[in-house]
Amino acid sequence: MELIVEESGERTAAVYRALRAAIVDGRVPPGFRLPATRVLAADLGISRGSVAGAYERLAAEGFLTARVGAGTFVSGEVTVPRARRAAADPLRPRDGWALTPLPASGEVPAPRFDFRTGIPDAGLFPFDTWRRLVGAELRLGANRPGTYADPAGHPGLRAAIARYLGFARSVRAGADEVVVTNGTQHALDLIGRVLLRAGDVVAVEEPGYPPARRLFTAMGVRVAGVRVDAEGLVVAELPDRARLVYVTPSHQFPLGRTMSLARRQELLEWARTRSVAIVEDDYDSEFRFSARPLEPLRTLDHSGRVLYVGTFSKSMMPAMRTGFVLVPPGLRPAVTAARQLGDGHGQTAVQAALARFIEEGLFARHVRKAGRVYAARHARVAAALAAIPGLDVLESAAGLHVTALLPEPAGRMVRAARRQGVVVEDLAAYAGEEQSAFSGLVVGFGAVADDRIEEGIGVLARLIAW
């Protein structure tokens, strides 16, 4: 608690006035324990008697109450006035920032039937092992905590990511190509800041990933939704003025489709002839339930047009806030500088621990274990949805969700399901202005308990039939 006491005049009266004003205007709330008279006197540089006199006067007027052995407290009888609203709010965000934060995924309490997307099962994560690794890095002090780190990320983690991608995704990359980020959104923000100007056109999938659309819109660029068919993004419908194309080719979000090899080659050629950048978001490639996927765009790219983005939010846990982007040579200095200007660098102990987690084979072991659980849930969810008349379940072979189409808008049913404890997502929410063209459900299975899958989907079945 800070008080400003007048230097001149009678000390007791000055302390009294300052304390009374703080209580009356709500800065010191009812029930707040005041410092002992000795402590406050030392802080203010005045005699203890001056403070004691002020306390006694305030107590006599009903502002304070003294409890033997406990201390002096602001009385609960004091009425705190409501904060006055300013007559006018002079500060406004610039154009493009008429946005509000999206709801956080951590509902308290969690819904009984949690079919939200993008939430992994925290119970599958080896927290004890992770705490040991982070604790060891903090104790060793090998990361020089008294200095600032490389904005591109911990060298060991960058090397570990490059090696893992070579093994798991056939992506040939050196550690110098990796920039560690605070997740996918951070990577997109860095890319947008160094590549895009106000008025540029960014092409995104329709339907697609809403946070990416919102981010690019906030940058002052024009976002153009491009249709997705059975082979992926329809390249023939890309706008000629596009400066950047954002795609999820390995597991299109949210439809779950895989972009065909012919379509991938068409997109790369389209981008090469127009000098366009491609952002490939490989957001959940670790969890696949069929044969090895097609090679990423980054592997097929021979012209240096693809920025490959990945995250550990789905494979490990969202709270880690760690991802990466593989950056072509011409953009590396700018992207690294943008990272440094924005937040300096990431958490070095966490990044060093993650490097060890990958290098010691613990990450691969965790992915295998979690993948078996998710594969079983994927099969159960897909089968339960397929048994519902009128629901067209789209084929998918990866990720943590299943999408199903409906002949009618799903918004009303989604709201009714929530009232019954079933949280599922409306496919229309993943589209831009053409939301009416998409009717269906996006059903996540990362967070739902195994023994609640059929019961929860049974609720959806009754609502669809109704």
Side-chain angles (χ1 to χ4, degrees):
M1 181 179 69
E2 295 184 0
L3 296 174
I4 300 176
V5 179
E6 301 169 357
E7 295 183 1
S8 61
E10 201 270 314
R11 301 298 188 185
T12 297
V15 175
Y16 163 80
R17 285 192 295 270
L19 276 173
R20 187 181 186 280
I23 294 170
V24 169
D25 66 19
R27 283 178 288 139
V28 183
F32 182 83
R33 185 179 183 275
L34 295 180
T37 54
R38 173 180 51 79
V39 174
L40 185 55
D43 288 345
L44 297 177
I46 61 178
S47 70
R48 183 177 181 182
S50 296
V51 176
Y55 277 23
E56 291 171 2
R57 182 174 174 185
L58 289 165
E61 294 178 0
F63 288 99
L64 302 180
T65 57
R67 303 174 194 167
V68 177
T72 302
F73 299 82
V74 177
S75 173
E77 303 298 322
V78 175
T79 301
V80 179
R82 293 183 179 179
R84 296 181 179 178
R85 295 185 62 183
D89 186 352
L91 300 178
R92 298 291 184 199
R94 65 169 174 79
D95 292 344
W97 277 98
L99 302 170
T100 56
L102 296 171
S105 62
E107 289 192 16
V108 180
R112 186 179 178 204
F113 303 100
D114 193 349
F115 292 106
R116 290 173 296 171
T117 62
I119 306 176
D121 187 343
L124 300 176
F125 187 72
F127 282 102
D128 289 341
T129 300
W130 180 248
R131 279 191 291 267
R132 174 177 59 80
L133 293 174
V134 174
E137 294 298 332
L138 291 172
R139 286 193 301 273
L140 290 172
N143 301 300
R144 302 177 65 195
T147 63
Y148 293 101
D150 186 341
H154 186 276
L157 178 57
R158 296 167 68 192
I161 289 172
R163 282 191 287 270
Y164 178 79
L165 290 176
F167 170 74
R169 299 293 285 125
S170 300
V171 173
R172 295 182 60 184
D176 60 323
E177 299 176 62
V178 179
V179 175
V180 181
T181 67
N182 293 330
T184 297
Q185 284 297 106
H186 188 204
L188 297 181
D189 181 61
L190 295 176
I191 294 167
R193 278 197 280 155
V194 303
L195 271 181
L196 302 175
R197 301 183 181 89
D200 281 348
V201 177
V202 173
V204 300
E205 296 165 323
E206 186 71 67
Y209 184 54
R213 182 190 296 272
R214 286 165 58 90
L215 175 63
F216 292 131
T217 299
M219 290 180 174
V221 304
R222 187 169 73 83
V223 178
V226 179
R227 185 169 59 92
V228 175
D229 65 13
E231 292 190 66
L233 183 80
V234 180
V235 176
E237 297 180 10
L238 284 167
D240 288 332
R241 292 183 55 241
R243 168 77 169 151
L244 182 148
V245 180
Y246 170 78
V247 290
T248 55
S250 296
H251 183 230
Q252 200 280 328
F253 189 86
L255 298 180
R257 293 165 174 161
T258 299
M259 183 182 287
S260 69
L261 178 59
R263 194 67 62 81
R264 292 171 190 236
Q265 293 172 333
E266 182 185 2
L267 174 59
L268 289 170
E269 179 62 17
W270 185 93
R272 186 189 66 81
T273 58
R274 292 166 174 79
S275 298
V276 173
I278 300 173
V279 176
E280 177 180 17
D281 186 353
D282 210 11
Y283 65 98
D284 62 1
S285 60
E286 291 84 7
F287 301 123
R288 296 200 65 85
F289 316 126
S290 64
R292 187 177 180 89
L294 292 173
E295 291 182 330
L297 286 171
R298 172 64 169 68
T299 300
L300 301 171
D301 176 33
H302 301 297
S303 62
R305 294 282 165 197
V306 176
L307 294 101
Y308 180 92
V309 174
T311 180
F312 293 95
S313 294
K314 309 296 186 297
S315 56
M316 295 183 69
M317 52 183 172
M320 185 178 294
R321 304 310 308 139
T322 304
F324 60 89
V325 53
L326 301 185
V327 186
L331 291 179
R332 281 175 215 159
V335 170
T336 304
R339 173 74 202 258
Q340 187 174 54
L341 290 171
D343 66 347
H345 58 81
Q347 302 179 64
T348 52
V350 171
Q351 291 186 12
L354 180 55
R356 289 184 57 192
F357 194 73
I358 296 172
E359 292 289 21
E360 294 177 11
L362 300 171
F363 178 68
R365 183 189 306 171
H366 165 64
V367 168
R368 287 194 299 271
K369 175 186 173 183
R372 289 192 293 269
V373 174
Y374 291 143
R377 288 185 192 171
H378 174 272
R380 291 176 66 174
V381 168
L385 291 172
I388 302 175
L391 204 59
D392 179 14
V393 181
L394 298 182
E395 183 178 354
S396 66
L400 299 178
H401 73 271
V402 174
T403 299
L405 304 180
L406 280 166
E408 302 293 336
R412 185 175 179 181
M413 192 208 71
V414 168
R415 292 188 294 272
R418 177 176 278 273
R419 290 193 291 270
Q420 297 188 40
V422 179
V423 178
V424 67
E425 299 184 18
D426 186 352
L427 177 59
Y430 292 88
E433 297 178 357
E434 301 298 326
Q435 289 193 9
S436 59
F438 300 96
S439 300
L441 303 174
V442 184
V443 184
F445 52 81
V448 67
D450 290 323
D451 58 357
R452 292 183 175 177
I453 290 176
E454 284 79 10
E455 184 181 356
I457 293 180
V459 174
L460 298 178
R462 289 191 292 275
L463 289 171
I464 292 173
W466 181 79

